[in-house]
Amino acid sequence: MTQDYLLAIDNGTQSVRVLVFDTQGNEIAKSKVDIQPYFSRHPGWAEQDAGYYWEKLQEAFTRLWAQKRVTPAQIRGLSLTTQRYTMINLDEHFRPLRPAIVWMDQRQADVDTPVSGVWGIAIKALGLGNLIRELRAKARDNWIQQYEPDIWARTRYYVNLSGWLTWCLTGELKDSAGSIVGYLPYDYKRQTWAKASDLKWKLLAAKREMMPELVMPGMPLGVISDSAARLTGLPAGLPLIAAASDKACEVLGAGGLEANVACLSYGTTATINTTTRRYIETLPFIPPYTAAVPGHYNTEMMIYRGFWMVSWFKEELAHNEQRLAREQGVEPEQLFDELVTQVPPGSMGLMMQPYWSPGVRQPGPEGKGALIGFGDVHKRAHIYRAILEGLAYELRMGKERIEKRSRVKIARLRVSGGGSRSDAAMQLTADIFGMPAERPHTSEASGLGAAINCAVGLGLFPDYPTAVHAMTRVGDVFWPEDDSVALYGRLYNEVYLKMYRRLKPLYQSIRDITGYPK
């Protein structure tokens, strides 16, 4: 049924993709445009012009139609998924006032005064001082209000990247509740903006009238406007259906509907998620995110700079692979599996802790990355394998925390994202987790998840279980190897689980002496 093609926009950190799927989840056409993740005017800053995202999306549409695999008339509807917590200030005419602050930005507002009154007493009694301080410091709106007061005074609307692109496409200031992630006045339990009495409005500079109207995933956001139709080639009046953030859509596109199915995302940020109807805080007072399935939650544990580590390795240590890739006309990452296979499981004792960015709990604000166990046998290949193993160790720890808090044993493991294209990464994941690692049938799980939202929203399927059954399936399966499972089990339990506790005082001393990170 050619009229039942579904279009998904996936605006990630390093590219924007426009994908077309049929109602069986088959990829019919795809256009990808690489984007500059950010520019940095000061150390630790990460910004990008809001208009740049819209221009690159238009370019992606131009490339899609040029392929002539599909025509605009064959598209039944579309959905949008984007990177999370990339924030944009708009004036009363919906014009960006400053560059978007990208999710990787590390600037912080000054938090000199504690919360006063009854709220202050409650925060102190519950031991939440550090958590509240973190929220106030990392909130983009608080920083702009402090350091760019003129910009903040002119800000009429304060939106995510998803809200900005929704406005560009439809002229409607709306967003999906599934796209709201970050230090925002959002009630994660009720999955809507916080009540007027909620403490968040006292802690943050944003006001309710600045925020877009929220709709649940699968509900209409609007239709393609005449101006957007001219710029994108989409038919005017085509329905835009709410999806969710890229990670939430990736879970849905990987078929993760049950609490006993763990979905690993091997992307720039690496995560492990389950989907549940229950509101479960995997870490106390850290809320679960809104899932791409209405009324559900994702119990996420993340590594802030996950497979970003692969990019770091490529830029700093893999110049030879970059040269060979150019000569062969392939991506450098395709050559990295050869590095992994040169090294035995366990990397001959080299262990990596992937805390290249500080966190809130583990790691805390003093967190730093570490490589320990170097010897004269270790070369670049060992470092690369140790990076992949360290990421998998950390996500295994996340799995165990989710199991403990949810009291649900994880029975299946799905792995998606760019890193899942590596057979070597999939195999060591199976070995470190001690269970089969399943790869979805498509590498575009996030886009497929958005397409599933679109399909249900258009009434092509009666519910999400039916849509997921029809549009997702398992591709390759990697089975754990007994000897490797035993080796990794000891390294994980006897070494990895002890690393942070023993290194934490040293991280704190480094921070105190050098002043980095601030």
Side-chain angles (χ1 to χ4, degrees):
M1 295 173 58
T2 58
Q3 293 300 314
D4 282 347
Y5 285 165
L6 307 160
L7 189 145
I9 298 168
D10 184 356
N11 195 146
T13 302
Q14 302 184 67
S15 68
V16 57
R17 296 185 293 282
V18 177
L19 306 120
V20 178
F21 295 94
D22 64 18
T23 51
Q24 288 76 51
N26 299 308
E27 184 183 302
I28 304 301
K30 170 183 174 180
S31 170
K32 176 184 175 183
V33 175
D34 291 332
I35 60 176
Q36 179 187 7
Y38 61 87
F39 56 81
S40 186
R41 295 183 288 168
H42 298 280
W45 287 24
E47 298 178 320
Q48 187 51 269
D49 291 325
Y52 175 81
Y53 294 114
W54 179 225
E55 291 166 4
K56 290 298 180 181
L57 178 56
Q58 294 171 47
E59 183 181 336
F61 274 110
T62 299
R63 293 187 184 185
L64 178 73
W65 307 132
Q67 296 171 8
K68 299 188 183 302
R69 295 181 181 177
V70 294
T71 66
Q74 292 176 292
I75 306 301
R76 182 76 175 268
L78 74 157
S79 284
L80 164 71
T81 182
T82 72
Q83 55 182 277
R84 308 183 297 189
Y85 200 44
T86 289
M87 300 303 300
I88 299 168
N89 297 67
L90 303 175
D91 67 12
E92 67 272 21
H93 302 295
F94 303 97
R95 295 176 303 202
L97 291 166
R98 69 174 319 283
I101 300 182
V102 179
W103 65 269
M104 289 182 285
D105 192 282
Q106 296 183 39
R107 76 188 80 184
Q108 295 190 17
D110 292 327
V111 182
D112 297 326
T113 57
V115 179
S116 59
V118 175
W119 280 117
I121 295 171
I123 290 168
K124 187 174 182 180
L126 292 170
L128 298 178
N130 288 337
L131 191 64
I132 296 298
R133 191 177 302 109
E134 185 87 5
L135 184 154
R136 296 171 70 191
K138 289 190 174 182
R140 316 295 198 213
D141 52 337
N142 287 354
W143 186 93
I144 296 171
Q145 184 186 54
Q146 282 187 13
Y147 291 98
E148 297 178 351
D150 292 344
I151 294 291
W152 189 250
R154 293 163 55 201
T155 298
R156 178 63 182 86
Y157 305 107
Y158 185 58
V159 300
N160 278 307
L161 174 59
S162 50
W164 162 245
L165 290 179
T166 295
W167 184 85
C168 292
L169 289 164
T170 68
E172 301 274 359
L173 194 71
K174 294 182 179 180
D175 204 350
S176 170
S179 296
I180 307 303
V181 174
Y183 301 97
L184 293 165
Y186 181 73
D187 187 327
Y188 287 92
K189 189 170 186 178
R190 294 172 54 245
Q191 299 186 340
T192 188
W193 296 122
K195 295 179 179 179
S197 58
D198 195 295
L199 173 62
K200 295 185 186 75
W201 296 112
K202 183 179 179 67
L203 301 176
L204 302 172
K207 305 301 179 187
R208 176 63 186 87
E209 59 270 18
M210 295 179 172
M211 317 309 291
E213 177 187 342
L214 296 182
V215 304
M216 294 305 292
M219 298 300 292
L221 282 167
V223 298
I224 299 302
S225 67
D226 290 341
S227 61
R230 288 192 298 271
L231 294 169
T232 63
L234 291 166
L238 190 72
L240 176 63
I241 304 299
S245 69
D246 53 2
K247 295 298 184 185
C249 283
E250 194 170 343
V251 174
L252 180 60
L257 282 183
E258 305 296 332
N260 66 348
V261 177
C263 296
L264 274 61
S265 171
Y266 279 175
T268 305
T269 292
T271 59
I272 180 168
N273 270 296
T274 63
T275 302
T276 175
R277 289 182 177 272
R278 292 189 294 144
Y279 178 88
I280 299 170
E281 295 177 350
T282 307
L283 294 175
F285 301 106
I286 304 295
Y289 295 142
T290 301
V293 180
H296 289 66
Y297 305 90
N298 287 148
T299 55
E300 180 173 295
M301 298 292 292
M302 76 159 63
I303 306 171
Y304 193 68
R305 292 186 181 267
F307 271 70
W308 173 91
M309 292 292 302
V310 173
S311 298
W312 173 84
F313 177 87
K314 178 177 70 175
E315 295 302 323
E316 304 300 332
L317 299 172
H319 297 159
N320 183 55
E321 282 72 22
Q322 290 191 64
R323 178 183 58 79
L324 291 174
R326 286 192 297 270
E327 292 173 357
Q328 298 176 24
V330 300
E331 294 295 325
E333 289 81 357
Q334 291 180 237
L335 305 179
F336 288 176
D337 273 12
E338 297 176 15
L339 292 176
V340 179
T341 57
Q342 293 173 19
V343 177
S347 301
M348 300 183 74
L350 192 63
M351 301 282 289
M352 191 275 284
Q353 189 173 63
Y355 297 161
W356 257 243
S357 287
V360 181
R361 297 289 179 84
Q362 181 166 341
E366 80 296 323
K368 291 185 178 296
L371 277 162
I372 65 170
F374 272 109
D376 58 3
V377 298
H378 292 121
K379 306 185 185 306
R380 289 184 316 118
H382 298 83
I383 294 174
Y384 184 68
R385 185 175 185 113
I387 287 172
L388 299 185
E389 290 172 342
L391 293 170
Y393 287 139
E394 186 70 12
L395 291 172
R396 173 177 167 176
M397 188 165 67
K399 166 186 171 288
E400 293 172 358
R401 285 180 174 171
I402 291 171
E403 289 176 326
K404 182 177 181 181
R405 293 288 292 184
S406 67
R407 299 181 182 177
V408 175
K409 186 72 173 176
I410 289 172
R412 300 184 71 178
L413 198 65
R414 304 268 168 81
V415 190
S416 57
S420 70
R421 297 188 183 100
S422 163
D423 288 355
M426 291 294 296
Q427 185 59 55
L428 68 84
T429 299
D431 293 338
I432 287 175
F433 278 76
M435 59 193 303
E438 303 171 350
R439 186 159 55 195
H441 77 279
T442 176
S443 61
E444 298 290 354
S446 182
L448 178 58
I452 291 171
N453 280 126
C454 186
V456 176
L458 293 174
L460 301 179
F461 297 102
D463 51 43
Y464 282 92
T466 304
V468 167
H469 178 74
M471 296 181 70
T472 72
R473 51 197 172 273
V474 173
D476 299 320
V477 180
F478 295 79
W479 295 87
E481 299 175 353
D482 291 344
D483 290 345
S484 297
V485 170
L487 173 71
Y488 281 130
R490 290 197 62 188
L491 287 172
Y492 174 73
N493 287 296
E494 298 176 34
V495 182
Y496 190 82
L497 290 180
K498 299 176 182 179
M499 282 178 67
Y500 179 67
R501 184 174 68 252
R502 296 187 179 182
L503 290 172
K504 182 178 179 179
L506 301 182
Y507 294 154
Q508 185 62 58
S509 294
I510 292 170
R511 186 186 187 199
D512 292 343
I513 294 166
T514 66
Y516 181 81
K518 182 179 179 182

